Amino acid sequence: MCPIKIETKLYYAHAKELSFKFQLLKAARSGYSIQENEVNKLNNLKYARKENGQITIQEIFKNHWSEFVNIQKAKGKSIRQSILKNVEKMIHCKDLSLGYLFFECPKCNNFHIQGLSCHSRFCVSCGKKYRDARAFNIMKRCISVPHRHITWTISEDLRWLFQKYKDLYIELFSSVDDVLKYLIWNKSKASRKRNERLGYISSLHTFGRDMKHNPHIHTLVTECTIDNTKKRKPYSYFNYETLRKAFMNQLLKRMYRFLKRNKHCKDLIKFNDIRKNLYNTKDNGFYVNAPQKEVKNKNQIKQIVNYVCRYQAHPAMSESRIISYDKDKGIVYYYYDPHEDDAILNDSDKIGRQYVTESVYEFIAKLIIHIPLDNIHLTRYYGFYANHSSLDISNQYKLFSFYDLHKVKSNLNWRTRLLSSYHYDPLICSCGAIMKIVPSHCYFLRIP
């Protein structure tokens, strides 16, 4: 048999342990692919990844979350219930004491225990599955026409209000809907009468790469309209100036009505001063990016959909950006690449990678402010893509075929996801058999 070649220090570290030697020899007798699966399984054990220097957000929160909460209480600051709930879920994700699935090999006495997912809106592991599921739902709706990716950004002067009043995110979504709806209806009375609409899907992001609070909307818009008669018309011209000014106007009006309706008198006075200043200084409106690049290729749209869904249920940064973490000193060292560099071609003109060293409490505070309220949906459908739209698109060709969608959906299975990400199937036994679930041995925590 050809011996497997694994260029990994962890592999040799495991091989020194007698229990792993027997396990790998048993797998080797079952074939090359079984041995490779077993090696990858060992290399991805939690303690093996930790030995290899991988730092997780879950680990940081496990070590410091209770102390962080106590510090906030001592300062007289309250933490939103949605934050407490989602962080607690994330900390105990796949905790076997809260439940597990038990799988047993039908040929030998080997078994596998799989902890249950937490389904938190703040978990790295569960968040990726949520993102992929959301991307699948968006792909199901896309009809076979070119699409446009538009980014809507608010003024920095308004960010504190969105951080204080999370319900303002609803007004942000509605402002984008207002602009795109009236963009078509203002063309003629006939277009309004026929209820002519674009189809668009908006997604909220609340941060940039530096993790600062920066709420903005990404919208995937069809370059066509559909009306009550099912007639489709191409629409590819989006006037930058109109979009910017109309978006600023609608958002400021909605924010004013929100603050007045909810009787936030002190903040309403501050907002009025900011609003006057914005009207005087922002002649071109808020920044709206709507590149004229035609996006009609399936792969291009899939890339945009994945980008739009990227942070739907995920911490504000990737764990791969964490360079080091000192538990005793309470220090985290990480990096980010500024967005500004993306549009600069000359490397000498770029700001360059930024490195940050800060206390774990500052790090935690930066992350948790982006956890949304439970009643706020981060992705919304409008126009003829809306869930309860009166416009019928059943006769429109879909962009993604049944085969494409089936392939994407099959990747949502937890075994497939582990295989694609970490190159091992947890249910393949070292003897080569497929483990089967044993319902009587599974455990689910009973909540009174």
Side-chain angles (χ1 to χ4, degrees), residues 9 16 59 104 107 109 140 154 196-197 205 209 238 247-248 250 260 292 348 351 382 402 407 421 433 439-440:
K9 292 181 181 178
K16 290 177 184 177
E59 177 190 359
E104 189 175 50
K107 289 188 177 180
N109 61 355
K140 277 198 303 184
I154 68 170
E196 197 174 324
R197 296 291 304 272
H205 289 188
R209 292 174 190 169
F238 293 85
F247 175 56
M248 183 178 83
Q250 288 301 119
K260 188 176 181 180
Q292 293 181 349
S348 61
I351 300 170
Y382 298 95
F402 176 80
K407 189 176 179 181
S421 299
S440 60

Side-chain angles (χ1 to χ4, degrees), residues 388-401:
H388 303 292
S389 174
S390 59
L391 300 172
D392 185 8
I393 59 171
S394 58
N395 65 328
Q396 302 293 328
Y397 287 107
K398 297 294 184 180
L399 182 65
F400 294 92
S401 66

Side-chain angles (χ1 to χ4, degrees), residues 53-57 124 310 314 317-324 333-337 353 355 363:
Q54 183 176 341
I55 301 161
T56 65
I57 289 174
V124 174
R310 188 175 181 183
H314 193 283
M317 71 175 295
S318 169
E319 290 177 334
S320 61
R321 285 168 47 194
I322 304 174
I323 299 170
S324 64
Y333 182 46
Y334 64 92
Y335 73 87
Y336 69 89
D337 297 314
R353 179 165 287 183
Y355 294 90
F363 180 75

Side-chain angles (χ1 to χ4, degrees), residues 114-362:
Q114 180 67 31
L116 302 179
S117 299
C118 66
H119 303 292
S120 168
R121 301 180 86 174
F122 187 63
C123 180
V124 174
S125 175
C126 301
K128 188 176 186 303
K129 182 178 179 181
Y130 179 91
R131 182 201 74 185
D132 292 344
R134 181 60 64 192
F136 170 72
N137 287 330
I138 292 176
M139 289 164 63
K140 277 198 303 184
R141 300 194 187 217
C142 289
I143 62 173
S144 188
V145 296
H147 286 65
R148 184 74 64 96
H149 178 207
I150 303 178
T151 306
W152 315 78
T153 310
I154 68 170
S155 170
E156 193 172 345
D157 297 332
L158 299 173
R159 292 178 187 174
W160 66 277
L161 280 165
F162 283 87
Q163 188 170 340
K164 187 173 182 179
Y165 304 112
K166 300 298 181 184
D167 286 337
L168 273 175
Y169 291 143
I170 299 171
E171 304 300 330
L172 185 58
F173 275 114
S174 298
S175 299
V176 172
D177 182 36
D178 290 341
V179 173
L180 292 176
K181 181 164 57 179
Y182 291 113
L183 190 68
I184 304 301
W185 286 1
N186 285 345
K187 288 192 306 177
S188 65
K189 290 182 180 179
S191 61
R192 181 189 287 263
K193 190 175 180 180
R194 291 194 305 268
N195 193 26
E196 197 174 324
R197 296 291 304 272
L198 293 161
Y200 43 102
I201 302 163
S202 289
S203 182
L204 173 69
H205 289 188
T206 60
F207 49 85
R209 292 174 190 169
D210 57 0
M211 293 199 293
K212 290 178 182 175
H213 189 252
N214 177 22
H216 56 284
I217 297 277
H218 290 275
T219 306
L220 190 65
V221 188
T222 57
E223 292 192 354
C224 79
T225 62
I226 294 176
D227 60 24
N228 286 332
T229 63
K230 302 182 183 180
K231 186 177 180 181
R232 193 170 87 185
K233 287 183 182 179
Y235 188 92
S236 58
Y237 177 68
F238 293 85
N239 187 294
Y240 275 116
E241 189 176 352
T242 301
L243 292 176
R244 290 169 177 168
K245 289 182 178 179
F247 175 56
M248 183 178 83
N249 209 25
Q250 288 301 119
L251 180 60
L252 293 177
K253 281 181 181 178
R254 284 186 167 275
M255 290 181 71
Y256 173 80
R257 290 198 292 264
F258 172 85
L259 294 171
K260 188 176 181 180
R261 183 172 63 248
N262 291 285
K263 299 179 181 178
H264 301 305
C265 300
K266 290 183 179 178
D267 289 331
L268 181 60
I269 294 170
K270 292 180 185 177
F271 171 75
N272 280 330
D273 292 335
I274 295 171
R275 184 173 62 159
K276 287 176 185 176
N277 182 56
L278 289 172
Y279 276 127
N280 290 330
T281 57
K282 298 279 186 181
D283 295 331
N284 294 323
F286 291 159
Y287 177 73
V288 176
N289 184 29
Q292 293 181 349
K293 179 182 176 183
E294 191 180 63
V295 182
K296 62 179 179 180
N297 179 281
K298 288 181 182 181
N299 291 329
Q300 288 177 319
I301 292 182
K302 190 175 178 181
Q303 286 173 6
I304 291 175
V305 168
N306 283 330
Y307 179 81
V308 164
C309 298
R310 188 175 181 183
Y311 302 111
Q312 293 299 289
H314 193 283
M317 71 175 295
S318 169
E319 290 177 334
S320 61
R321 285 168 47 194
I322 304 174
I323 299 170
S324 64
Y325 156 61
D326 190 320
K327 178 184 174 182
D328 298 327
K329 293 181 180 178
I331 298 294
V332 180
Y333 182 46
Y334 64 92
Y335 73 87
Y336 69 89
D337 297 314
H339 274 292
E340 294 83 356
D341 285 354
D342 294 347
I344 301 173
L345 298 176
N346 193 346
D347 289 342
S348 61
D349 295 331
K350 292 183 178 181
I351 300 170
R353 179 165 287 183
Q354 302 295 299
Y355 294 90
V356 181
T357 303
E358 63 188 8
S359 74
V360 288
Y361 304 117
E362 290 177 45

Side-chain angles (χ1 to χ4, degrees), residues 26-27 30-31 34 105 107-108 427-435:
K26 183 181 176 182
S30 301
I34 304 300
C105 179
K107 289 188 177 180
C108 64
L427 299 189
I428 293 181
C429 181
S430 54
C431 72
I434 302 295
M435 298 187 192

